[in-house]
Amino acid sequence: MERIIEEIREDLSRRIAVAADRLADRTLAEDPAYAALLGRAELRERIHDTLRQAVEGLLRSCRGLPVELADARAVGALRAEQGLPLASLLRTHRRGGRLLWQSLTEAVTAHDRAALPRLLPAASVLWDVVDRTADAMTESYRRAEAAHGDRDRERRAALLDVLLDGADGPSAAAEAAAAQLGLPERGRFTVVVLAAEVSGSPSRTPSGDPSLTPPGIPSAAPTAAVPPAPAGGSGAASAPRVLWRFRADGEVGLVELGHHPLESVRDLLAPLGVRAGVGPVVGAPAELARAHRLAALALRTAPESEGPRIALLDERLPAALVAAEAELAGRLRQVVLGPVLALPVEDRRTLLTTLGTWLACQGSTTDAAQRLYCHRNTVSNRLRRVEQLTGRSLSDPRHVVELALAHSAVLQRVEAEPVTRPAAPGPRTARSSRTPGGTARRSPRRPA
C-alpha cells in the first residue's frame, strides 16, 4: 500500500489541491461561522495542509509509526481562541477526510485499476488517522475554551468589583467597566445580596448563563448575564438582566431592571427559598456601589431565624436604620427592652415572639392570637406584661415605634438566640408548669 501511494504521489498532490479548493468553497458557502472568520485563501491553505498531513499520517501508520498530532492540537487551540464553533471545525475536518479518500481512489484508478483491491486496507487506516487528529483537535479546543472562559470570568469579576466596591460618583474606571459589561450610561439598576448560606451553589443563582441556571427558573461561572428581555415576553425572557458575582460571604447580583419594577427581583428570587437584600433603584452604573452597600444593609434586616425572605430596603427602612448603627442598636435594646431581655429564656422568648407577631399583624390582637395558636386574652395578657416591664404603652404611637425598633435590634443581634420561633415545649418537670400567659406556677408536688 505504501508503494502504491508513492507511485501516485504526484497525481495525488494535484487532486488534493483541487479537493482543498472544493472544500474551501463549500465551507464558506454553507458555514457562516467560517465565512465570518477566514478568507478563502487562508481557509484553502489550512485545508490543503490538513489533507497533506493526513496522507503523511497514513504513511506513518502503515510503517507502524505514531501519527503526528502537534499541528492538529495547534489548530484546535487557535480555532477556540478565534471563537469558531467546535462543530464547524469537526465537520470541515471530516469532510476533508472523505475528499482525501475519494482523491486516493481516483488517483489509483487512473494509475492502475487493478491495484484498487490493494488500496482497500488503507481505508480503515485513513479513518483512524482522521479520528485521531479530530480527537486531538477536540481536546485542545476544549482546553483552550476552558482557559478562555476562566479568563473571561475573571475579567467580568474584576469589572463587577469596580462597580460594586468603588467610590460613589462618576469615575473613568466605573464608566469603562460599565461599557465593557454592556451596561447603558443611564437606566434603572439595583443590587441584590444573597446570604452566605446559599453561596457556592450555582444552581441556586438565577441567571441567563447555563452555568448559573437554577432548577425551576429558565434563565454569574462566577459571573453571568441574562440577555435583555424582549417586549411582551414571558417567564425568564421577561426577567431583568442580572450579572452575578460569587464571593466568600455570599453572592451579589447587579440587576439591570429596564422597564421592570423593583418588585420583579423578589419574583425572580422567591422560588429559590433564599435570604436576600435588595437595594434601591439607582439611575447610573456609577451609583451601584451605594446600592450594593444598601442591599447588604437590607439583608441584615432579614435575620436567619425568620427563614427565607427577600428584603427590599425601601420596605424596611426603620429596621435598616437600626442595622446601620450597631452601637445605637445595642443601646436601644437595653433601654427599651432591657427588663424583658433580663427574664428567663422561656419567658423572654414568649414575650418577644408575642410582641413581634402583634407588630406584624398591625396591632391586631385577634390576628396575632390566630398566628400564635392561643386565645386573644392570652395575647393581651402578654402584651400587658410587656407594657409593665418596659414602661411603654402600646396605645402610644411613639412608644410603639420605640418597641418596634428595639424588637428589630434584638432580631438583628448576631449573638442572640432566635427569638421569633417559639421553642418546642419540653417535658414537664416536677417543679413547675407553664400557664398560657407565660407565667410560672409552682406544682403542688414536692421534688423527689
Side-chain angles (χ1 to χ4, degrees):
M1 179 168 47
E2 184 178 350
R3 184 171 60 84
I4 297 174
I5 295 175
E6 289 296 339
E7 291 174 356
I8 63 170
R9 181 177 285 276
E10 184 176 348
D11 184 30
L12 180 60
S13 295
R14 289 194 297 269
R15 294 178 185 274
I16 285 176
V18 174
D21 286 330
R22 290 169 53 197
L23 183 53
D25 290 339
R26 180 181 179 185
T27 300
L28 293 175
E30 297 181 0
D31 195 327
Y34 262 114
L37 183 64
L38 299 175
R40 184 187 185 282
E42 183 180 356
L43 177 58
R44 188 263 179 204
E45 185 62 27
R46 182 64 257 174
I47 292 173
H48 191 212
D49 288 344
T50 300
L51 295 178
R52 286 191 292 103
Q53 289 165 11
V55 173
E56 294 304 318
L58 173 60
L59 292 173
R60 289 180 64 86
S61 294
C62 291
R63 297 167 188 158
L65 298 175
V67 179
E68 292 288 346
L69 299 174
D71 284 346
R73 294 191 181 101
V75 170
L78 175 62
R79 295 299 182 243
E81 290 290 340
Q82 293 174 329
L84 181 74
L86 180 59
S88 295
L89 177 63
L90 295 179
R91 181 167 53 247
T92 299
H93 179 72
R94 293 197 166 98
R95 283 176 176 173
R98 288 194 292 270
L99 283 175
L100 178 56
W101 177 249
Q102 181 181 341
S103 299
L104 269 171
T105 57
E106 289 175 351
V108 170
T109 301
H111 175 69
D112 181 7
R113 180 178 292 272
L116 272 177
R118 287 186 290 160
L119 182 65
L120 292 179
S124 60
V125 179
L126 176 61
W127 283 110
D128 182 65
V129 171
V130 172
D131 286 343
R132 288 188 188 184
T133 52
D135 290 345
M137 280 195 300
T138 300
E139 180 184 359
S140 179
Y141 182 102
R142 287 176 174 159
R143 228 181 356 249
E145 186 180 43
H148 181 77
D150 289 342
R151 290 195 301 272
D152 184 61
R153 284 189 288 271
E154 290 173 3
R155 172 179 161 276
R156 282 175 174 264
L159 294 173
L160 282 173
D161 287 343
V162 170
L163 295 175
L164 296 173
D165 300 329
D168 290 333
S171 69
E175 290 176 3
Q180 292 182 62
L181 290 170
L183 300 175
E185 295 181 3
R186 300 295 302 177
R188 297 177 66 252
F189 309 92
T190 190
V191 174
V192 57
V193 176
L194 270 60
E197 59 262 29
V198 299
S199 183
S201 175
S203 64
R204 299 292 297 273
T205 308
S207 110
D209 189 291
S211 62
L212 294 177
T213 302
I217 292 188
S219 69
T223 59
V226 181
S234 60
S238 63
R241 181 188 181 211
V242 185
L243 298 170
W244 286 98
R245 176 73 167 101
F246 284 6
R247 292 180 168 178
D249 57 349
E251 299 170 19
V252 183
L254 186 166
V255 186
E256 183 184 353
L257 289 166
H259 65 279
H260 299 282
L262 184 63
E263 290 73 16
S264 64
V265 179
R266 177 187 284 127
D267 298 335
L268 181 68
L269 298 175
L272 303 180
V274 298
R275 283 195 310 121
V278 181
V281 177
V282 297
E287 301 176 70
L288 285 166
R290 176 170 60 88
H292 179 205
R293 291 193 297 273
L294 293 176
L297 186 61
L299 177 60
R300 289 167 56 190
T301 70
E304 185 178 356
S305 59
E306 295 184 355
R309 171 175 292 194
I310 312 302
L312 272 61
L313 177 77
D314 292 350
E315 296 177 352
R316 300 176 68 84
L317 290 174
L321 284 172
V322 174
E325 294 290 343
E327 186 175 358
L328 287 178
R331 189 63 185 161
L332 186 64
R333 285 192 300 266
Q334 187 58 39
V335 170
V336 178
L337 288 175
V340 176
L341 297 176
L343 293 173
V345 172
E346 291 299 326
D347 284 349
R348 181 171 74 240
R349 284 180 176 171
T350 298
L351 294 186
L352 288 174
T353 299
T354 302
L355 175 61
T357 305
W358 182 81
L359 290 169
C361 292
Q362 301 178 344
S364 170
T365 303
T366 300
D367 291 347
Q370 292 177 350
R371 288 196 187 185
L372 294 170
Y373 300 101
C374 63
H375 196 277
R376 67 184 309 275
N377 288 345
T378 300
V379 174
S380 297
N381 291 336
R382 294 175 184 174
L383 294 176
R384 193 175 303 114
R385 192 174 178 209
V386 170
E387 291 178 318
Q388 293 169 352
L389 288 169
T390 62
R392 285 162 174 80
S393 170
L394 292 175
S395 60
D396 186 331
R398 291 176 301 174
H399 290 173
V400 172
V401 170
E402 289 181 352
L403 288 166
L405 293 176
H407 187 268
S408 292
V410 171
L411 295 183
Q412 294 171 23
R413 185 174 54 187
V414 175
E415 67 274 15
E417 59 186 313
V419 296
T420 58
R421 296 176 184 174
R428 293 179 181 269
T429 65
R431 296 183 59 86
S432 66
S433 61
R434 292 286 166 192
T435 67
T439 58
R441 60 176 173 81
R442 290 289 179 184
S443 169
R445 298 171 58 189
R446 294 186 176 182

